Amino acid sequence: MAFRYPGGKKYTGSRRQHTSSSPSFFGNRGMTLEQDLNDTNQYYRSTGRAVIHKKPTPVQIVHVDYPKRSAAKITEAYFKQPSTTDYNGIYRGRYIDFEAKETRNKTSFPFGNIHAHQMDHMSEVLRHEGIAFLIIRFTLLEETYLYDAARFIEWYFGQKERKSIPLPDIRENGHLIPLQYSPRIDYLDIIDRIYFS
């Protein structure tokens, strides 16, 4: 069968055979931690369980091109200030603030994924009796954990010789969040167990 582009031009792409010996994994194609959390938070809002949103990143637009009257293209922009964490909201009368990170590392979570100003922000949230944590996804292992910010801060500021938290500590002291259909990442059930029991 010949394929043609609009205007009659013939498609001349080569046919490639799939020769990979590695197995195919289709479970999470196209899904990211951020999308899973956005879907989960939408579910929580629509069911009245919690109000949690992704924080917008403050950007200063410097230059915009208008190639057509109906189109605009931002060509230069800068971050106004360092962002704090990814998500915040309210659940059962308590303020919630958390950072979501994915890593392809199989043995640890590198500190380079989190900035000092984010740790300072989570420390402030904890000092004011809010709930702060990280949701960490090990993409190659297909494991997602809720990890309390207080413990993460101990590792971050207290372990000068380390540059990461070992996976065994996250497995032992974090809370595995099973993936499910809806809500996709039900982290509020874990928050109920560790912060409200």
Side-chain angles (χ1 to χ4, degrees):
M1 175 182 270
F3 292 98
R4 296 191 181 273
Y5 288 108
K9 187 173 181 182
K10 189 175 180 180
Y11 173 73
T12 59
S14 63
R15 290 184 181 180
R16 287 188 275 171
Q17 296 288 329
H18 179 70
T19 58
S20 173
S21 61
S22 63
S24 297
F25 296 100
F26 299 105
N28 286 333
R29 267 192 315 190
M31 294 300 286
T32 65
L33 178 58
E34 182 177 323
Q35 186 59 51
D36 285 346
L37 285 168
N38 292 342
D39 292 347
T40 297
N41 291 335
Q42 175 59 40
Y43 175 85
Y44 290 155
R45 287 191 304 276
S46 69
T47 59
R49 191 163 178 205
V51 178
I52 299 167
H53 291 277
K54 177 148 179 51
K55 296 181 198 175
T57 303
V59 175
Q60 174 69 48
I61 297 171
V62 177
H63 191 263
V64 180
D65 283 342
Y66 296 93
K68 293 189 229 175
R69 186 177 180 101
S70 62
K73 180 180 177 185
I74 298 170
T75 57
E76 188 176 0
Y78 300 98
F79 295 114
K80 283 185 180 179
Q81 62 194 26
S83 62
T84 53
T85 53
D86 291 331
Y87 294 89
N88 70 342
I90 191 91
Y91 176 60
R92 292 179 62 179
R94 298 275 305 273
Y95 176 75
I96 290 180
D97 199 293
F98 67 95
E99 181 68 13
K101 291 293 182 187
E102 291 182 273
T103 182
R104 295 179 61 80
N105 194 312
K106 293 182 185 179
T107 59
S108 65
F109 179 76
F111 291 141
N113 289 341
I114 304 288
H115 301 287
H117 68 272
Q118 292 174 308
M119 298 312 304
D120 293 340
H121 174 75
M122 285 193 268
S123 295
E124 288 288 314
V125 170
L126 293 173
R127 192 169 66 231
H128 289 279
E129 299 183 20
I131 297 171
F133 54 91
L134 288 90
I135 293 184
I136 302 169
R137 176 173 286 170
F138 291 87
T139 55
L140 297 177
L141 302 174
E142 297 183 6
E143 295 176 11
T144 304
Y145 293 89
L146 187 147
Y147 196 77
D148 185 67
R151 180 142 183 100
F152 190 85
I153 290 165
E154 285 176 27
W155 274 101
Y156 191 87
F157 291 115
Q159 300 288 329
K160 299 297 182 194
E161 67 278 357
R162 289 199 59 96
K163 297 195 182 303
S164 63
I165 299 177
L167 180 58
D169 185 81
I170 293 172
R171 284 180 170 156
E172 182 179 337
N173 296 297
H175 305 273
L176 182 66
I177 307 172
L179 295 181
Q180 51 193 35
Y181 177 69
S182 188
R184 182 83 173 134
I185 304 174
D186 193 5
Y187 62 90
L188 289 185
D189 278 352
I190 294 169
I191 288 174
D192 283 338
R193 287 197 314 265
I194 61 177
Y195 298 104
F196 288 102
S197 60

